[in-house]
Amino acid sequence: MTLAQQAPATTGSGASEVTSLVSASAPNIAWYYGDKPPVGQLRAFDAVVVEPDHDFNPAQFKTPSTQWLAYVSVGEVTPERRWYKELPKAWLSGSNDAWASRVVDQAQPEWPTFYVDHVIKPLWDRGYRGFFLDTLDSYQLIAKNDATRAAQEAGMVRVIRAIKARYPDAKLVFNRGFEILPQVHDLAYAVAFESLYRGWDQGAKQYRVVSDADRDWLMGQARKIRDEYHLPVIAIDYCPPADRACARDTAKRIKAQGLIPYVTDPALSTIGVGRIEVLPRKVLILQERDLRYAIETSEGVRFVAMPLNFLGYDVEYADINKPLPADVPPDRYAGVVVWVNSGSVSHVAALTSWVKQRMHDGVRIAFMNQFGLPADASMANLLKLKFVQGRVTAPLEVVSQDKIMGFEMAPRPDRYEVQPVQVGANGQSLLRLKSGNFQFDAAAITDWGGYVLNPYAVFAMDKIDQARWVVQPMEFLRRALALPDMPTPDLTSENGRRLMLVHVDGDGFASRAEFPGAEYPGEVLQQEVWEKYRIPTTLSVIEGEVGAAGLYPKLSPRLEGIARKMFALPYVEMGTHTYSHPFDWSRTVQSPTGPGKDAGGGDTAFTLTIPGYKFNLDREIAGSIHYINERLAPPGKRVKILQWSGDCQPPELAVRMAWQAGVVNINGGDTTITRSSPSWTSIASIGIDKGPGAYQVFAPNQNENVYTNDWTGPYYGFERLIETLQMTDTPYRFKPINIYYHMYSGTKLAALKALKKVYDYALSQPVMPIYSTEYVAKVLDFRDMAVARDVDDPNAWVVRGNGDLRELRWMASGTPRLADAQGVVGYGKTSAAAGGIYIHLDDGAARFGITPAPEAAKPAYIAEAAAFVRSFARSGNGMSFEAGGYYKPFVRLANAGACRVQVNGSPARTARAQDNSVRVDLNGAAAQTVTYQRIDVVC
């Protein structure tokens, strides 16, 4: 924007009330001029205007529901613009001092062609399919008379027509341009103007309240555009970036005038509030790190991330002993969790200042374990707590405790862990303890967040190497960070069925089976497991075991033949388990002098001891991929995934190299909850962001090596995975089913029987098998999925992803209103004891309302499906869609007892139930692609 400081004329109608409101089909448009646009959240809008000089290229992102428009200045240019140097200086006829820009003479005959060639074409080639035309009124600064004004307006019109002539599909949004609209309104997608209620004075650098006269004049222009030209009209207003209440209130006032609102900061560098408000889905975990160990061992990763993931939040990490993140805005971060193990951190002043800024910005903070600040009056004052005098002179007793305390074990008061603070009038104690007359709050909810101190967050049981939650972590985080009810992107299910993935690491491929029959475990598993169950499966090999350049060159022809057969199975996707199977990934970027000794395949070695091999990360990753593709892959198949080896703690560089090699990645995480270790602390998060372009996806469950005590026995131990699968399904479904094992499970009869028992159990459950790469795609979609609610109606939602994740979980009361929903194919109850419903999507983009009462005439809908659903369309109470799946696909339709169902145009064989539902079984087989069938439901 360059005219924000210019007040509109005050002539025109004085009426300010309108009777028509914004159409529900009108576009939601956002403006974001900051560096590195937050694509995930901005995709909630139908169109987004960005500043292209920040090198943002829309073609790099998968945002099918969002149009990206480039900000372009037409009437003015500043020296930093890329096309400034190409512009003949004789065309610069004036200046706009407030913005340090030059005004362009629109009357120059060659100007339209120059503008399209030098400004529009490069942006179109980068993927922009629309343009926000700013400074359309700038010619007024050089128009000295009516003739000059007319010539300038004519030139501006020629520019706009030249853009549409070259690019007919381009969406053009005008910034004002009221004088030329009569001539070009048919070329516009929408019209925007600034400052209907709250403006920004660029010269004075201050916010201003718009006068009634200025607003009346603008509304007169807006009515004409809306009612005569039938164009969407957007009013862009300004509020301080931390004042979300101001933004919401202003957006509601603009919307009440019948216009499309967008309220943001003057620099347009925050996610503003329009007809929708995008909910922040990032949480920053600020923690102490012991740099001797991988980040995977930190408490933030082990304990805090999983509950936040379940609540719908993606997690970022920062080290409290390094420079603290300066940019933690409330439009992107739902809150901060601070986990400190020591009483006071090294840089107290920096942490104090940082916490104070977060509180000022309205970003809520949850302290866990310790505050990290000296326990004195200064700390109490900062956190609005009462500093209490006294000390522990007798055993501690519980005065009161909230119901969320004592979750997996009762609080065990520790007289050596005392903070002399109590909550004030605006807080709520969760755990109050006393010793004589001395009382303090060990856990509380406050108006800025909350805290739970050691040992009342996680209690360490060191002797048995386990831990327990004392506080219910999800409820504490929800209350401390004031997390709202929202439709939560869900990674465990699709169309109500629990997802199931199988992946196998290549370890032991060269070992011998220890029972009669096939000689090698790859042959055993192919005959006894993969060909029997025929479900999507991801298989990998270690090149150093199988290839001629590895440990067993004489066996290589036989082993490669086995690998080719297993990779040729139609329901198998290919993975690599690296070249030399690094066991200790921390050493891979520390210039090791060479691989360690591997006398017996133990995990204490650096890698497998391959003669003559000098460790090289590129050889491990890209090299092993190339080997499998060239030597083992059947026609049409390529390696799609890298399965981390050893400790599964790859450094940032290695993870980034995997992505750069064109494959996704999986492994790591320690989900090992069982009846003998029945704690949520044994459920891992979905993955970990190790840096730009270096996200590591964790395996949902752990492998048989863990359940067999590092393959020392009992070798049937993997059957205990069934306990894990049960305990991650109730009371909440935390994880999909993941059968993750090694090739060496085919060497021992007890292990093979246990593996079959796990398969049989899993397939007896209501599952939907998918490939591991499809699960990884869902994790990536989860991280950037946009969830937004209507600024007027908190029960109306917009959810946008890239189409890989197609399930939402709704844990509050009510059900989706289907009659006017978009992108929602149905819903069904969760199988978990905690209740709630799953909401099924067809392509990852949806608009719907939640209604507390059942719909009067509820249409037919998909209650459950062991199939992917796409191309969904509703017709009255009926519907049509395409469905297909890998394993026993079917669709169960609710409210369809009286409906006719056709599959591919022919009457379907259906099973009708007493609950007015209809089951439709489909043809399907596991392969690399899904065969879809068209289903029509006529009611």
Side-chain angles (χ1 to χ4, degrees), residues 322-333:
K322 293 184 177 181
L324 302 178
D327 191 23
V328 191
D331 62 319
R332 260 157 282 184
Y333 289 85

Side-chain angles (χ1 to χ4, degrees), residues 375-434:
D376 55 22
S378 177
M379 183 200 76
N381 183 62
L382 170 68
L383 301 179
K384 304 177 186 178
L385 302 173
K386 296 178 183 178
F387 183 71
V388 293
Q389 300 289 340
R391 60 190 181 88
V392 176
T393 58
L396 287 171
E397 301 176 19
V398 175
V399 177
S400 62
Q401 72 179 63
D402 190 88
K403 62 181 180 181
I404 70 172
M405 302 302 298
F407 175 56
E408 292 179 344
M409 66 176 292
R412 294 189 178 185
D414 186 343
R415 62 184 302 169
Y416 299 104
E417 295 286 349
V418 174
Q419 295 279 11
V421 292
Q422 294 180 3
V423 292
N426 294 327
Q428 177 190 0
S429 174
L430 298 178
L431 179 64
R432 176 160 290 189
L433 303 174
K434 73 172 183 177

Side-chain angles (χ1 to χ4, degrees), residues 378-570:
S378 177
M379 183 200 76
N381 183 62
L382 170 68
L383 301 179
K384 304 177 186 178
L385 302 173
K386 296 178 183 178
F387 183 71
V388 293
Q389 300 289 340
R391 60 190 181 88
V392 176
T393 58
L396 287 171
E397 301 176 19
V398 175
V399 177
S400 62
Q401 72 179 63
D402 190 88
K403 62 181 180 181
I404 70 172
M405 302 302 298
F407 175 56
E408 292 179 344
M409 66 176 292
R412 294 189 178 185
D414 186 343
R415 62 184 302 169
Y416 299 104
E417 295 286 349
V418 174
Q419 295 279 11
V421 292
Q422 294 180 3
V423 292
N426 294 327
Q428 177 190 0
S429 174
L430 298 178
L431 179 64
R432 176 160 290 189
L433 303 174
K434 73 172 183 177
S435 173
N437 294 325
F438 173 61
Q439 295 191 15
F440 67 98
D441 290 317
I445 302 297
T446 68
D447 58 359
W448 46 260
Y451 65 90
V452 55
L453 302 177
N454 187 54
Y456 312 107
V458 172
F459 187 88
M461 306 167 70
D462 295 333
K463 289 185 178 180
I464 59 172
D465 194 26
Q466 292 186 20
R468 298 288 187 270
W469 279 106
V470 180
V471 66
Q472 211 281 24
M474 292 193 301
E475 283 302 303
F476 170 73
L477 292 167
R478 185 183 62 81
R479 290 166 62 177
L481 301 182
L483 303 177
D485 292 326
M486 70 175 180
T488 301
D490 187 273
L491 286 167
T492 71
S493 309
E494 183 155 342
N495 296 322
R497 307 278 292 188
R498 193 177 186 186
L499 297 173
M500 174 181 173
L501 57 146
V502 176
H503 72 289
V504 185
D505 288 349
D507 306 50
F509 200 79
S511 300
R512 300 302 206 276
E514 299 176 7
F515 49 89
E519 185 176 5
Y520 290 96
E523 297 173 304
V524 173
L525 293 171
Q526 180 161 344
Q527 296 170 12
E528 297 293 327
V529 180
W530 306 327
E531 290 182 349
K532 174 182 177 181
Y533 293 99
R534 294 180 176 269
I535 60 175
T537 302
T538 304
L539 302 180
S540 67
V541 295
I542 303 166
E543 182 189 347
E545 275 196 320
V546 177
L551 290 171
Y552 313 109
K554 293 182 180 180
L555 292 178
S556 182
R558 175 75 183 277
L559 298 176
E560 286 187 335
I562 297 170
R564 291 189 190 101
K565 287 182 180 180
M566 74 179 193
F567 282 145
L569 294 171

